[in-house]
């Protein structure tokens, strides 16, 4: 019901009724009351009728609310009650399943314990070379104590099988070897008890009826009780012959037939009477394990017989038996949650015995013999305990039932409470409706009164026909407001376009514009905007930069830069169109046309350029070296643009036309960190009085399809870099004086100061190492290992620093830690390194950086580049492609990843060591041949082998061992094992970067062949450590020459630097060989004989995922490009770094022409 509709109907009708003029309708001509019944006007009749309708509707609503209240409350009550019933049934089934599972697992554990004792006995006999039956297990008491605790058993007995004819020999042996009884009593703390002598004769089981079934396999054998757990206080029942009791004989015969353990039926004799006295202390208290009953009384017992074999051969003979006697109440302890009572279990052994247990919280209690359950047969859960590989004398079955006590624990007052709450909600809703109705009625009468006054005024001013016309016009206006203005096809299209850009267009599921049949027949949402300015902004050097980064870092850069651009666009009221790769496209002048579109876009471009430079510098610490060298190339052009929504799947707003193409040409023909403008945009700026912003480009641009174009650079001198706030006019900004040219504000980005770049590289390396340190600390805290004494660690540190020959410490196999499921318990993000550790780390990295010489290639920047490659490869180590559903969760996945990556991913200390090796591998170094030539002391110290690498290790190690880095060292390693692994990984990794030592190279090739040959592809930990060691060495080797396996621009940059360094050494006389002579062919050979095979090894080891494919593809592509362009590049480098500029140019040009 809508009260507003009835109100407006009353008003409309009232405004058209005719009021009598001049006199009151309630009096006659004489002024006396008119007793004649007044005739109601049409509007009054309609009003009365509508009021009755409204009243009936209200009553209907109140009735519906009352009925709904009763219905909802009742349904809530029954629904909540049903939910409690469902919870009761579901939880009972869960409890029943858990009882069944625990009982089965408990029974299985008892078989496993019996098998373990059997195996231990056989193993002892074989090891000592003794033959059954003359076998006595040493330390039997402690062995069986653990077994008794695990199984909750009452008794464990080991009984050898003695052939007829050996009885006397056995009896003599048992008396001589009875010392185990005294040893057992001593372990129990009962040294004051004298068990007496072992009987010198075999005697039958107490309570045996003398009936022994046929047992062909046991014919002519006896089975004397021998060692027991616990040791007996009375030795007189030793040498009791098991085979005098029928149940034992049946089971023993079955054991010999199946050669498997077996569980007996429920047997209340079960030989237990023999040990009643021994299982009671001096006060008569029972001394069983884990349950509370008297032996021979309730609860029922069964026993497990396990064969003892002569040897571990498959056809070995059974030479003895193990007996484990257990009460059945043990199986039902500690299953239900505390406070959960009333689950009944009926145990049947299938041979006629039945017992009923009840579970009360953590305790299982025997109710009595027979089926004593209370009811709830419909919820009965039946489970078979025995079966499968286990043999049983009878089939044990559990029948689990609920009880009234359990059900009552699920019944509460919640249904009544919830029903009352629902009823109160309806009462409150009714009260709100009454208040709302009163407010609507009040508003209705106020509107009617105002309408009556209006009608009276209109009636007094206009005749009837004029009133009708006025009311008709009002109706039409109301209709137009309700149905929307009549619009032409043209402005409808523009409105649709603006609505789409403002996010008002109806979209289908998934964010796509709905395109139905009606839309297909409708006119597209598009329009021509005659005046607009477009910007294309492309990141220069992005492709090469991204080839050295992880995918996440690539997106982190783009998201950060585009977010900055978007914020500027919002402030400048520029419309962002799209981003295509690393190109940002935006437009001013649409969807809302504006005359100052060129000025706005120029200011937007200027702000983007300034913010881009600041952003990339700030991100060096996060994204690594060379980030600050990225630039942005910006192009602007103005003109007419066709813009619209290209409908269909993933509908997008698009720009079309020649203006878009020309803008792309402006961007592509520009230069980094400058804003390139077309003639059209420049003309608009001049017309707006901004000629001082322009600088004419000297050379004309040749654009495809356009010919030669005169273009301009944007030079916004005098413009403030502060963006206008929302609502501020972009028409004019302070400081801009038309016609006056001043110095440019935006110029090519200045070269990064060496100190500034140095500090950013130090910060980035510290950040990488600090993250790994937090992982080391987290793993250490997860494992909760205690550190070794500081004195022991310091002693080993001094041994490593005592002028050792580093090359002698290279290990074929570096042992990594084994997988531990709890090593990931502590989240590394929760670890906070102390200020001392961070300060020492920064100082250490700064010290290492200062050690590097100012060489073109072998410098700190290149070491950081190698570090970045190592970090990338470590981050790209992946698990095998196995269905994740099969892997499971958590620790299982971690274990599979650990095994697949040979343990590298699981040990942050390994990763830290390799990253640090990349940082130190070229400290104070020159090529080895120069060091050997120029420093005889080093050559002698290191026997002219891997001189640079050994020297780097020694310098970095001695620096780290200084007292000022004590906290840092304690964070890296806290025990001797970690210290040895850290040292070994550091040396192996750094020495691996010497690729020109033939002896080391041959050894590495052999280790690779050995590690990945079929013979050594095993799960043996030693073979895994071998593979991990060689993978780490190849990882650092690949990182050392990573520029050859990255984008062409990265490769040529570092190749030129290496050439410069080598060529300058030659020109200064330090090197005798001219590197330029064979540089071209040398690079080809380097690719063919080292780089490409190395990249293939990364792929073949199978742990680096798509990163290995990426490295190999770049290596092959760079080799191809070098073959095509290498000679020209060498000629250019010779001309650039030669003693006389251009002396080789003519010669190389002739060679190239030939």
């Amino acid at each position: 019901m809508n009260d507003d509709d009835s109100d407006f109907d009353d008003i409309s009708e009232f405004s058209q009724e005719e009021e009598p003029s001049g006199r009151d309708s309630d009096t006659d001509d004489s002024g006396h009351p008119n007793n004649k019944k007044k005739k109601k006007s049409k509007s009054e009749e309609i009003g009365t009728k509508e009021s009755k309708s409204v009243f009936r509707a209200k009553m209907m609503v109140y009735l519906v609310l009352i009925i709904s209240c009763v219905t909802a409350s009742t349904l809530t009550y029954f629904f909540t009650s049903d939910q409690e019933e469902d919870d009761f049934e579901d939880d009972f089934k869960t409890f029943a399943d858990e009882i069944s599972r625990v009982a089965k697992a408990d029974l299985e554990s008892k078989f496993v314990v019996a098998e373990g004792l059997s195996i231990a006995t056989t193993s002892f006999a074989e090891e000592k070379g003794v033959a059954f039956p003359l076998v006595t297990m040493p330390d039997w008491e402690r062995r069986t104590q653990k077994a008794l605790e695990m199984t909750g058993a009452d008794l464990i007995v080991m009984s050898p099988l003695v052939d007829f004819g050996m009885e006397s020999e056995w009896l003599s042996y048992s008396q001589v070897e009875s010392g185990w009884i005294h040893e057992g009593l001593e372990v129990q703390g009962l040294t004051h008890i004298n068990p007496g002598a072992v009987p010198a004769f075999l005697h039958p089981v107490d309570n045996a009826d003398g009936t022994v079934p046929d047992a062909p396999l046991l014919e002519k054998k006896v089975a004397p009780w021998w060692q027991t757990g616990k040791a007996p206080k009375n030795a007189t029942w030793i040498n009791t012959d098991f085979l005098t009791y029928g149940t034992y004989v049946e089971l023993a015969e079955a054991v010999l037939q199946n050669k498997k353990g077996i569980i007996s039926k429920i047997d209340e004799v079960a030989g237990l009477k023999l040990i009643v006295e021994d299982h009671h202390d001096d006060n008569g208290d029972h001394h069983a394990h884990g349950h509370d009953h008297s032996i021979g009384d309730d609860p029922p017992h069964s026993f497990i017989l396990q064969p003892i074999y002569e040897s571990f051969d498959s056809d070995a003979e059974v030479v003895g038996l193990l007996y484990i006697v257990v009460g059945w109440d043990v199986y039902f302890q500690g299953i239900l949650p505390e406070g959960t009572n009333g689950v009944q279990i009926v145990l049947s052994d299938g041979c006629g015995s039945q017992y009923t247990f009840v579970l009360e919280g953590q305790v299982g209690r025997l109710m009595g013999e027979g089926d004593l359950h209370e009811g709830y047969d419909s919820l009965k859960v039946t489970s078979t305990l025995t079966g499968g590989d286990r043999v049983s004398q009878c089939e044990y079955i559990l029948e689990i039932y609920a009880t009234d006590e359990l059900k009552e624990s699920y019944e509460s007052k919640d249904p009544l409470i919830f029903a009352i709450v629902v009823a109160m909600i309806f009462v409150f809703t009714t009260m709100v409706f009454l208040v709302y109705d009163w407010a609507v009625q009040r508003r209705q009468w106020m509107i009617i009164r105002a309408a009556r006054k209006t009608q009276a005024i209109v009636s007094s001013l206009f005749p009837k026909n004029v009133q009708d016309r006025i009311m008709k016009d009002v109706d039409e206006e109301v209709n137009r407001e309700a149905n929307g203005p009549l619009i032409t096809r043209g402005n409808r299209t523009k409105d649709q376009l603006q609505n789409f850009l403002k996010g008002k267009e109806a979209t289908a599921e998934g964010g796509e514009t709905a395109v139905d049949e009606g839309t297909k027949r409708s006119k597209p949402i598009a329009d021509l905007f005659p005046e607009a300015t477009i910007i294309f902004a492309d990141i220069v050097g992005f492709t090469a930069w991204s080839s050295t980064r992880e995918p996440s870092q690539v997106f982190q850069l783009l998201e950060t830069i585009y977010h900055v651009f978007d914020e500027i666009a919002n402030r400048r009221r520029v419309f962002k169109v799209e981003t295509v790769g690393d190109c940002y496209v935006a437009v001013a002048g649409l969807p809302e046309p504006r005359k100052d579109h060129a000025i706005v876009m120029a200011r937007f471009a200027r702000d983007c350029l300034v913010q881009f430079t600041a952003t990339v510098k700030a991100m060096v610490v996060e994204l690594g070296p060379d980030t600050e060298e990225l630039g942005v190339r910006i192009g602007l052009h103005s003109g007419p643009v066709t813009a619209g929504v290209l409908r269909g799947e993933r509908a997008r707003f698009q720009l079309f036309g020649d203006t878009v193409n020309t803008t792309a040409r402006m961007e592509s023909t520009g230069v980094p960190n400058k804003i390139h403008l077309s003639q059209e945009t420049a003309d608009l700026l001049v017309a707006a009085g901004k000629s001082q912003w322009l600088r004419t480009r000297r050379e004309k641009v040749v654009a495809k399809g356009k010919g030669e174009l005169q273009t301009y650079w944007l030079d916004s001198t005098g413009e403030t870099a502060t963006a206008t706030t929302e609502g501020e006019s972009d028409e004019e900004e302070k400081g801009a004086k038309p016609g006056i040219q001043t110095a440019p504000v935006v110029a090519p980005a200045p070269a990064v100061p060496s100190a500034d770049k140095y500090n950013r590289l130090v910060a980035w390396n510290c950040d990488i190492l600090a993250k790994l340190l937090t992982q080391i600390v987290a793993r250490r805290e997860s494992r909760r290992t205690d550190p070794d004494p500081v004195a022991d660690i310091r002693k080993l540190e001094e041994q490593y620093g005592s002028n050792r020959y580093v090359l002698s410490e290279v290990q074929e196999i570096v042992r990594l830690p084994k997988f531990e499921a709890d090593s990931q318990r502590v989240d590394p993000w929760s670890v906070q390194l102390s200020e001392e550790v961070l300060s020492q780390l920064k100082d250490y990295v700064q010290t290492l950086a200062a050690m590097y010489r100012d060489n073109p290639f072998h410098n700190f920047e290149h070491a950081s580049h190698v570090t970045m490659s190592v970090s990338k490869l470590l981050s790209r180590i992946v698990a095998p492609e196995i269905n994740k559903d099969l892997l499971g969760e958590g620790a299982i996945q971690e274990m599979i990843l650990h095994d697949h990556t040979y343990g590298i991913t699981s040990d942050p200390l390994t990763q830290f060591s390799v990253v640090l090796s990349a940082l130190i591998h070229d400290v104070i170094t020159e090529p080895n041949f120069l060091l050997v030539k120029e420093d005889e002391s080093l050559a002698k110290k290191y026997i002219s082998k891997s001189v640079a690498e050994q020297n780097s290790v020694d310098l970095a190690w001695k620096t780290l061992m200084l007292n000022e880095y004590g906290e840092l060292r304690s964070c890296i390693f806290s025990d001797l094992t970690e210290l040895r692994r850290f040292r070994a990984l550091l040396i192996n990794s750094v020495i691996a970067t010497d690729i020109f030592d033939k002896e080391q190279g041959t050894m590495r090739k052999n280790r690779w062949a050995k590690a990945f040959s079929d013979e050594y592809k095993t799960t043996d930990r030693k073979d895994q450590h071998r593979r991990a060691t060689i993978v780490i060495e190849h990882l650092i080797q690949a990182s050392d020459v990573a520029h050859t396996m990255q984008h062409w621009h990265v490769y040529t940059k570092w190749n030129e630097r290496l050439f410069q360094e080598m060529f300058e050494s030659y020109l200064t006389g330090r090197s005798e060989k001219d590197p330029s002579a064979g540089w071209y062919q040398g690079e080809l050979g380097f690719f063919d004989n080292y780089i490409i095979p190395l990249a293939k090894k990364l792929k073949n080891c199978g742990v680096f995922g798509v990163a290995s494919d990426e490295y190999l593809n770049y290596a092959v592509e760079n080799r191809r490009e070098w073959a095509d362009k290498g000679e020209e590049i060498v000629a250019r480098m010779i001309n650039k770094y030669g003693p006389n500029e251009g002396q080789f140019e003519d010669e190389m040009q002739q060679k190239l022409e030939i």
Side-chain angles (χ1 to χ4, degrees), residues 350-591:
C351 293
S353 296
Q354 271 190 327
Y355 291 84
T356 303
F357 295 81
V358 62
L359 270 59
E360 298 174 344
Q362 297 278 301
V363 179
R365 179 175 56 82
L366 177 67
M367 293 180 63
E369 186 173 359
D371 186 348
L372 306 178
H373 81 276
E374 297 176 2
Y376 292 93
D377 291 350
S378 61
L379 294 180
K380 180 178 70 173
V381 176
T382 303
S383 174
T384 302
L385 287 183
T386 53
D389 294 333
R390 299 304 181 187
V391 181
S392 61
Q393 188 178 18
C394 301
E395 184 180 28
Y396 281 91
I397 296 174
L398 295 182
E399 294 177 348
I400 306 169
Y401 298 91
T403 63
D404 290 335
E405 183 181 8
L406 179 63
K407 185 176 181 180
E408 288 171 1
S409 67
Y410 284 83
E411 295 176 347
S412 67
K413 294 182 179 179
D414 288 349
L416 181 60
I417 293 173
F418 289 156
I420 293 174
V421 169
V422 170
M424 294 303 297
I425 291 174
F426 273 92
V427 170
F428 177 78
T429 303
T430 304
M431 297 300 296
V432 170
F433 180 81
L434 288 172
V435 174
Y436 172 78
D437 180 64
W438 173 83
V440 170
Q441 287 281 13
R442 184 172 179 272
R443 186 195 67 168
Q444 180 180 355
W445 284 112
M446 292 177 64
I447 293 174
I448 291 175
R449 286 179 61 190
R452 283 174 176 170
K453 292 179 181 179
T454 302
Q455 176 66 25
I457 295 172
V458 173
S459 298
S460 64
L461 295 177
F462 302 100
K464 183 70 170 61
N465 59 340
V466 176
Q467 294 178 34
D468 294 341
R469 179 63 183 273
I470 292 174
M471 293 305 172
K472 182 178 180 181
D473 291 341
V474 171
D475 289 340
E476 290 179 357
E477 180 65 25
V478 171
N479 290 334
R480 282 197 297 271
E481 290 178 357
N483 299 328
L486 296 175
I487 56 176
T488 63
R489 183 173 297 178
N491 62 21
R492 178 183 180 277
T493 299
K494 189 164 293 187
D495 288 341
Q496 282 183 300
L497 182 58
Q498 291 181 353
N499 286 338
F500 178 86
L501 298 178
K502 294 175 182 177
K504 296 181 181 179
E505 192 74 18
T507 56
E509 184 177 355
E512 299 174 3
T513 301
V515 182
D516 54 18
E517 291 300 322
T519 302
K520 292 178 181 178
R521 293 192 297 267
S522 65
K523 185 177 180 180
I525 305 172
D527 201 5
L528 175 65
F529 294 85
E531 296 182 1
T533 299
I534 302 176
I535 182 174
F536 275 41
D538 189 70
I539 302 176
V540 181
F542 175 79
T543 304
W545 178 90
S546 62
S547 71
T548 65
R549 262 66 179 185
E550 303 170 38
S552 60
Q553 292 179 316
V554 174
F555 273 76
Q556 183 182 357
L557 174 77
L558 291 178
E559 287 176 352
T560 303
I561 291 175
Y562 290 162
H563 177 69
V564 171
F565 285 5
D566 290 345
E567 288 185 331
I568 299 171
N570 290 333
R571 290 198 302 267
R572 290 291 185 188
R573 290 185 291 166
V574 169
F575 180 75
K576 173 186 175 181
V577 179
E578 62 180 341
T579 56
V580 182
D582 57 333
C583 184
Y584 189 94
V585 183
V587 62
L590 66 89

Side-chain angles (χ1 to χ4, degrees), residues 51 228 317 370 383 438 496 512 533 590 618 663 742 749 803 847 1035 1066 1108:
S51 297
T228 66
E317 181 181 356
S383 174
W438 173 83
Q496 282 183 300
E512 299 174 3
T533 299
L590 66 89
T663 307
T742 55
N803 296 320
T847 303
L1035 182 152
Y1066 167 70
S1108 56

